[in-house]
Amino acid sequence: MKSVPTHKPRPMVDLLVSIVVPAFILMKLSGDNELGASGGLILALSFPLGWGLFELVKYRKFNFIALLGLVNVLLTGGIGLLELDTKWLAIKEAAIPGVIGLAVLASTFTSSPLIKALLFNPSVMDVEKINERLQLRNSMAAFEARLLKATYFVAGSFAFSSTMNYILAKWLVTSPAGTPEFNEQLGQLTLYSYPMIALPSTVMMMAIFYYLWRTIHGLTGLKLEEVLANKSSG
């Protein structure tokens, strides 16, 4: 049986395919003398949609957040092609991170909070070693309490993204859907959302990771290289 290839993060390719190329098409190739509003929108959205499906088929790696990403692309296309009121674009932009944030909060009432899937998982940290040390020091309850606090921080970062997405969409996209002007403004939204939303959100996630690492270090005494996955000496 053929093995599934190991997924390797390619941030530059993701950036080009999901942001730069679609934004260029929307802003430069959507005029009546080029692809037209509908043609430009379909071609632009085909890049992130095609890339997401390619990753799914090749690596068979699919999760809740990836599903929302694909839904996001399809909803954007639907709003543009059906020429819906632009208020729905702002609502959609806010809804995607909002749904993730609510899912993170809801997961705190289950046995598997999403913080464990996002940060405290075997692909990121040596979970088995950390749990062994926590049990040895009778610190499991204290760790679970800090993990809950980190979960609230993660939900807060998605709430920030949701709010900023809505504000940015309302500010930038003012032309009717189905027009070249709408596509151009959608391209600007795609470009602006990266430095204004994605980067601050990434910084917040790094801060949460640091908080989690400091918590683990304080409760277990383990060093960073002992905590990270595949970095332990045994």
Side-chain angles (χ1 to χ4, degrees):
M1 185 176 176
K2 192 175 180 180
S3 61
V4 179
T6 303
H7 181 267
K8 295 180 181 179
R10 289 170 284 191
M12 290 307 297
V13 176
D14 290 339
L15 184 66
L16 280 171
V17 174
S18 300
I19 295 177
V20 177
V21 173
F24 175 81
I25 294 170
L26 288 168
M27 295 169 67
K28 302 298 182 184
L29 301 178
S30 296
D32 294 332
N33 295 327
E34 288 86 23
L35 298 172
S38 297
L41 183 62
I42 292 171
L43 180 61
L45 295 180
S46 69
F47 279 86
L49 182 61
W51 181 244
L53 291 174
F54 166 76
E55 295 252 301
L56 169 61
V57 171
K58 184 171 183 179
Y59 301 109
R60 298 178 195 171
K61 188 168 181 157
F62 203 64
N63 54 47
F64 175 68
I65 294 176
L67 173 63
L68 282 177
L70 292 177
V71 170
N72 180 39
V73 172
L74 293 174
L75 286 176
T76 301
I79 291 167
L81 295 174
L82 296 176
E83 300 182 11
L84 301 180
D85 193 299
T86 53
K87 72 177 181 182
W88 292 110
L89 180 68
I91 292 171
K92 185 271 300 181
E93 288 291 311
I96 298 298
V99 167
I100 298 174
L102 289 174
V104 171
L105 274 182
S107 73
T108 62
F109 298 101
T110 71
S111 58
S112 302
L114 277 179
I115 187 74
K116 291 185 177 179
L118 291 170
L119 295 175
F120 189 62
N121 68 73
S123 66
V124 178
M125 296 184 176
D126 192 335
V127 174
E128 187 177 347
K129 175 186 278 189
I130 293 167
N131 284 335
E132 285 177 0
R133 187 65 66 91
L134 287 169
Q135 289 171 352
L136 190 66
R137 294 191 170 196
N138 296 318
S139 299
M140 190 62 78
F143 177 69
E144 290 293 337
R146 304 273 183 88
L147 207 58
L148 184 61
K149 187 180 288 187
T151 303
Y152 293 145
F153 291 155
V154 171
S157 74
F158 283 113
F160 166 82
S161 291
S162 179
T163 303
M164 288 300 296
N165 275 354
Y166 183 83
I167 292 172
L168 204 59
K170 291 290 285 185
W171 175 46
L172 288 175
V173 185
T174 56
S175 297
T179 64
E181 291 78 17
F182 171 83
N183 281 16
E184 183 174 355
Q185 291 167 0
L186 187 60
Q188 292 173 348
L189 177 64
T190 303
L191 282 179
Y192 286 18
S193 66
Y194 187 75
M196 293 184 69
I197 298 170
L199 285 180
S201 297
T202 301
V203 170
M204 282 189 279
M205 288 299 291
M206 290 173 65
I208 294 165
F209 179 84
Y210 179 75
Y211 168 79
L212 192 58
W213 138 242
R214 291 299 301 172
T215 293
I216 292 169
H217 176 67
L219 294 175
T220 66
L222 293 171
K223 297 177 181 178
L224 181 61
E225 58 268 24
E226 296 175 300
V227 165
L228 295 179
N230 302 320
K231 295 291 184 181
S232 59
S233 57

